[in-house]
Amino acid sequence: MAFDIEMIKKVYATMSERVDKARELVGRPLTLSEKILYSHLWEGNPSQSFVRGKDYVDFAPDRVACQDATAQMALLQFMHAGKKTVAVPTTVHCDHLIQAKVGATTDLAVANSQSKEVFDFLSSVSNKYGIGFWKPGSGIIHQIVLENYAFPGGMMIGTDSHTVNAGGLGMLAIGVGGADAVDVMSGMSWELKFPKLIGVKLTGKLNGWTAPKDVILKVADILTVKGGTGAIVEYFGEGATNMSCTGKGTICNMGAEIGATTSTFGYDDSMRRYLASTGRQDVVDAADQVASYLTGDAEVYANPNEYFDQVIEINLSQLEPHINGPFTPDRGTPVSKMKEEAAKNDWPLKVEWGLIGSCTNSSYEDMARAASIVEQAVAHGITPKAEFGINPGSEQIRYTIERDGIIATFEKMGTKVFTNACGPCIGQWDREGADKGEKNTIVHSFNRNFSKRADGNPNTHAFVTSPEMVAALAIAGDLSFNPITDTLLNDNGEAVKLNPPTGDELPKRGFDVEDAGFQAPAADGSGVQVVVSPTSERLQLLAPFDAWDGNNITGAKLLIKAFGKCTTDHISMAGPWLRFRGHLDNISNNMLIGAVNAFNQEANKVKNQLTGEYAGVPAVARAYKAAGVPSIVVGDQNYGEGSSREHAAMEPRFLGVKAVLVKSFARIHETNLKKQGMLALTFANEADYDKIKEDDTFNFVDLTSFAPGKPLTIEINHADGSKENILVNHTYNDSQIGWFKAGSALNLIAAAGKA
């Protein structure tokens, strides 16, 4: 039986009435995305039609999921909300704090020792507040959600940007910051600007070396890392129904890399097969009762240009395997063009490592198809030229692929089997030699390949591709190898051409596991004590941020003018810093240390206007804070793209930054800034970015009349005594302005809890 089956049945019980009413209000057929949105309104039955990309709407998500790195701060905030238990089904998953180094057994033992304090905290908080807890080693949050919690037509939020993975099972699953999760866990509505809709029509059928991964790599190449911002991507067509459920999950997962709010597919037989195989036939039975409401209306898919804001069409039969990168997931190169592109750009051709796994590609099918390539190489006496590592997505996946001989196949080629956890995908990889900073190439099936992300080496050229292509390229040791046309030499000097990958969509003998790693919460957690040591370096109880004093912000110093790409990895790095995710003061020492200063093109070296000396960004921010001087951060396009980590917003808030002024924001980061009581602002004229000088001081002219839809004026005071005013825009509505005035959204929740 599925977890929370009664909740799922309750969702389906109201869906038809709500969707029918929405169709009447909108006056036309509906997409799947619209059906799920309108059936999850906080008000219940719809009473109005909403304008895409304009109207802020309150929703009632069905559940919340948190991973351990972000759960710490989310649950520290929830403890201030004054609630006895969470209002909706919630889970915590320990997958981020486990480093990949030696292999699963050793690495997990080390993590359990080093992070015992954090794991014990998360376990006890979960036990106290009615939260399901998945222990270290149980698996990656998004794979576990797909296996246990996702259901067609549902809405969930999660404190990780790749929560969107659950769209593979027909959900609207959306990544958020911890403060948003706290709202929903506290029984409040969740606010989202009604998204625009991008339709992707898939025709034909995947064949040969092409995999579901290639669909999203192609879409990323088309839309770029910000082309999906503010939109839901909905996939449909015969190509969609011809694809496995976990393949759909892969595509939805990487929708985070194009900035999409989320992505989804309509309910079909592949979802029925997956639900049944993972022990949820009861969900299939319930979903089949409302099946027509769990996909877009036929008229929508027949004439998509009339119903979507943008339509992309991809013929899967003609789609070529892609290799995206380096340094950005949207730079797509068909495998047939890689040799030419690599030579043109001086990319290292020698592949040092091949890595398979992460939340994106760690399913049974992924592992089976990659193993079929390894099996061929072993059978033909081909010695791999690169090192190889895999991260199974869950203990259920690991146990099943071990039973079916897939792990044994990988191990014949010397593969390192890492823990069922994120590992190298999020920088949790103790890669030997990475500290030398040598220029090199790795290939992986992960979703992100930003500079320094996997191993901390800025000269590692990381390329994203499918698991089967990772296997082929790692065996060949050559980035330009095209398995469709090229051959490999075996140990006898014979030319061998690899056959296309094969692998079962689902295990023939079903999934199996001895201990999945789940801890159910206490029926009554009122007696559970949650203890945080005041001397802990890993955990720190939160103090509320100060409310706005009602005056214009004046005398604010420029902290940093970030140049070019500034992701959440640049703002708050992961890797070794993950150990401080529950301690705001300590983790603030990584604030913006990866951002490039526009004035000297160096990272973590900015001018302290109080002394005239240069120092690290956190040190200068702390100096301003100690002197009672506010500060401002200036940034470029798509500022804050990447992870949902709210630490990237909480750290500047904690260190005295009052406003972040950029050309454009990534959606989640902008919301996170608002939630923490920050001013998230954009240049009304992007060219004004160039007016910002290193020694500038800023005065807000009209913050006292802060209102929705009304631009703000900032006076820039240059060091030469000259002044100029610029207009800045914002997207705050009345309730969000309330967060700013109160000091944070959490302050309002806490106040309501005490009332």
Side-chain angles (χ1 to χ4, degrees):
M1 179 180 290
F3 285 96
D4 309 310
I5 184 62
E6 293 307 316
M7 177 270 285
I8 295 171
K9 289 180 178 178
K10 185 178 178 181
V11 171
Y12 291 159
T14 60
M15 181 164 274
S16 58
E17 180 184 358
R18 293 181 177 184
V19 171
D20 288 346
K21 182 62 177 177
R23 195 184 286 114
E24 175 188 326
L25 289 167
V26 175
R28 57 167 173 75
L30 298 178
T31 65
L32 168 63
S33 303
E34 291 170 312
K35 290 180 180 182
I36 300 177
L37 291 168
Y38 277 106
S39 65
H40 283 83
L41 297 176
W42 180 254
E43 65 178 334
N45 282 341
S47 60
Q48 68 178 100
S49 172
F50 296 106
V51 180
R52 299 176 192 169
K54 181 180 178 182
D55 291 339
Y56 280 96
V57 182
D58 288 335
F59 292 101
D62 301 312
R63 63 177 314 112
V64 176
C66 309
Q67 41 94 335
D68 51 352
T70 52
Q72 296 169 66
M73 199 59 72
L75 293 179
L76 284 165
Q77 291 178 85
F78 181 74
M79 290 168 65
H80 279 274
K83 305 296 180 180
K84 291 183 178 180
T85 186
V86 290
V88 301
T90 302
T91 51
V92 167
H93 305 259
C94 295
D95 61 358
H96 273 56
L97 300 179
I98 305 167
Q99 192 173 55
K101 182 176 182 180
V102 178
T105 302
T106 300
D107 294 346
L108 181 57
V110 169
N112 276 323
S113 174
Q114 291 181 343
S115 296
K116 183 179 187 301
E117 179 185 18
V118 172
F119 294 148
D120 287 350
F121 166 74
L122 293 174
S123 173
S124 63
V125 173
S126 297
N127 202 26
K128 181 175 183 64
Y129 293 110
I131 298 168
F133 179 72
W134 290 83
K135 303 173 186 176
S138 60
I140 305 172
I141 175 174
H142 312 304
Q143 182 64 34
I144 289 180
V145 165
L146 200 69
E147 291 176 2
N148 296 277
Y149 300 112
F151 65 97
M155 175 185 279
M156 70 174 286
I157 60 171
T159 61
D160 188 285
S161 57
H162 292 104
T163 299
V164 295
N165 189 82
L169 252 175
M171 291 195 88
L172 288 189
I174 301 170
V176 299
D180 275 348
V182 170
D183 282 357
V184 176
M185 288 190 287
S186 300
M188 299 173 64
S189 62
W190 172 63
E191 183 185 72
L192 178 72
K193 184 181 286 186
F194 205 83
K196 294 183 178 181
L197 300 176
I198 298 174
V200 180
K201 182 178 181 179
L202 302 179
T203 61
K205 189 174 184 179
L206 295 169
N207 62 87
W209 281 88
T210 309
K213 184 78 162 201
D214 297 304
V215 176
I216 185 57
L217 294 180
K218 179 65 175 177
V219 170
D221 187 48
I222 294 170
L223 290 178
T224 77
V225 291
K226 62 178 182 177
T229 302
I232 294 175
V233 182
E234 184 171 324
Y235 294 84
F236 61 94
E238 61 173 342
T241 55
N242 285 334
M243 198 181 297
S244 69
C245 178
T246 52
K248 292 178 172 71
T250 291
I251 293 169
C252 291
N253 184 297
M254 274 195 70
E257 275 56 64
I258 58 172
T261 301
T262 191
S263 303
T264 195
F265 286 79
Y267 181 50
D268 63 13
D269 284 341
S270 72
M271 297 182 191
R272 292 184 177 94
R273 293 192 299 270
Y274 186 75
L275 286 165
S277 183
T278 51
R280 293 175 285 171
Q281 182 61 44
D282 49 353
V283 177
V284 176
D285 295 340
D288 282 346
Q289 298 300 309
V290 290
S292 65
Y293 292 90
L294 303 177
T295 190
D297 287 335
E299 299 94 328
V300 170
Y301 295 156
N303 300 287
N305 288 301
E306 295 182 21
Y307 302 97
F308 291 97
D309 298 292
Q310 181 180 356
V311 177
I312 297 169
E313 186 167 340
I314 298 174
N315 185 339
L316 302 186
S317 300
Q318 298 173 0
L319 183 63
E320 186 177 348
H322 274 59
I323 304 169
N324 283 30
F327 308 128
T328 185
D330 62 347
R331 182 172 185 168
T333 303
V335 63
S336 63
K337 304 291 185 183
M338 179 50 77
K339 189 171 186 176
E340 173 188 337
E341 283 296 306
K344 184 166 54 177
N345 293 283
D346 194 29
W347 297 335
L349 287 179
K350 183 183 178 184
V351 175
E352 305 281 353
W353 266 91
L355 296 161
I356 294 173
S358 86
C359 58
T360 326
N361 282 110
S362 55
S363 68
Y364 185 91
E365 182 181 37
D366 291 329
M367 295 295 172
R369 285 173 62 86
S372 74
I373 305 305
V374 173
E375 187 76 69
Q376 290 182 60
V378 171
H380 287 96
I382 299 171
T383 301
K385 303 300 188 296
E387 294 190 73
F388 219 125
I390 64 169
N391 285 81
S394 68
E395 175 58 15
Q396 179 168 267
I397 295 290
R398 189 212 62 79
Y399 189 94
T400 305
I401 64 175
E402 181 177 55
R403 180 201 68 190
D404 292 353
I406 292 172
I407 284 184
T409 295
F410 279 117
E411 289 178 333
K412 290 175 186 175
M413 196 156 272
T415 303
K416 281 189 177 181
V417 181
F418 295 125
T419 313
N420 314 317
C422 302
C425 180
I426 58 160
Q428 282 285 52
W429 184 22
D430 188 356
R431 181 186 179 188
E432 186 177 350
D435 56 337
K436 297 177 183 177
E438 295 175 344
K439 186 176 179 179
N440 74 102
T441 284
I442 65 173
V443 293
H444 59 57
S445 69
F446 309 158
N447 36 45
R448 293 195 177 131
N449 57 347
F450 303 142
S451 175
K452 300 193 285 187
R453 182 172 174 91
D455 62 3
N457 177 5
N459 297 313
T460 292
H461 291 54
F463 293 86
V464 182
T465 189
S466 67
E468 37 273 77
M469 280 297 297
V470 169
L473 294 173
I475 291 166
D478 184 353
L479 183 64
S480 67
F481 175 67
N482 182 353
I484 300 171
T485 58
D486 299 346
T487 59
L488 297 171
L489 291 180
N490 67 10
D491 296 341
N492 296 323
E494 300 164 334
V496 176
K497 190 169 186 294
L498 297 173
N499 293 320
T502 59
D504 291 331
E505 172 187 317
L506 297 163
K508 288 186 172 68
R509 292 192 285 159
F511 287 104
D512 202 359
V513 67
E514 285 185 349
D515 179 7
F518 176 70
Q519 169 192 293
D524 179 3
S526 58
V528 177
Q529 296 298 311
V530 179
V531 179
V532 175
S533 169
T535 60
S536 172
E537 292 185 347
R538 300 287 300 270
L539 297 165
Q540 180 187 49
L541 293 176
L542 295 174
F545 291 129
D546 292 336
W548 178 47
D549 63 8
N551 299 315
N552 280 318
I553 297 169
T554 58
K557 301 295 186 183
L558 176 69
L559 178 61
I560 185 174
K561 179 180 176 180
F563 176 80
K565 186 183 282 285
C566 191
T567 71
T568 49
D569 279 303
H570 295 88
I571 304 168
S572 177
M573 288 184 177
W577 289 95
L578 285 172
R579 67 186 185 275
F580 296 128
R581 283 284 180 86
H583 197 294
L584 183 55
D585 197 351
N586 284 345
I587 199 168
S588 292
N589 288 322
N590 80 357
M591 185 189 74
L592 285 159
I593 63 175
V596 175
N597 181 355
F599 300 109
N600 57 18
Q601 295 299 303
E602 294 187 55
N604 202 29
K605 187 176 180 181
V606 296
K607 188 173 184 178
N608 180 338
Q609 293 189 47
L610 303 180
T611 66
E613 298 176 350
Y614 286 83
V617 182
V620 174
R622 288 182 186 275
Y624 289 155
K625 181 180 179 181
V629 175
S631 58
I632 285 181
V633 168
V634 172
D636 213 317
Q637 296 280 8
N638 206 29
Y639 183 89
E641 74 170 274
S643 167
S644 69
R645 67 192 69 157
E646 66 182 339
H647 299 76
M650 295 186 78
E651 291 172 33
R653 179 73 168 100
F654 178 72
L655 293 184
V657 176
K658 299 298 183 182
V660 178
L661 172 60
V662 301
K663 292 181 181 178
S664 65
F665 282 106
R667 176 190 64 85
I668 300 177
H669 187 63
E670 181 182 18
T671 300
N672 286 346
L673 290 168
K674 292 178 178 181
K675 284 280 186 177
Q676 299 304 332
M678 298 274 284
L679 289 171
L681 309 171
T682 56
F683 291 101
N685 179 2
E686 289 186 1
D688 287 345
Y689 170 90
D690 298 322
K691 293 180 179 179
I692 308 301
K693 310 295 185 187
E694 190 171 29
D695 295 295
D696 282 349
T697 300
F698 304 88
N699 296 323
F700 281 78
V701 174
D702 51 5
L703 186 59
T704 52
S705 58
F706 192 16
K710 180 184 177 183
L712 294 171
T713 302
I714 297 179
E715 178 188 76
I716 307 173
N717 292 270
H718 300 303
D720 62 5
S722 63
K723 300 179 181 181
E724 56 186 316
N725 287 351
I726 63 170
L727 276 182
V728 297
N729 294 328
H730 66 85
T731 60
Y732 287 75
N733 58 27
D734 282 324
S735 62
Q736 294 169 347
I737 291 174
W739 303 340
F740 168 73
K741 290 180 177 179
S744 72
L746 180 60
N747 286 354
L748 289 179
I749 297 175
K754 294 174 183 176

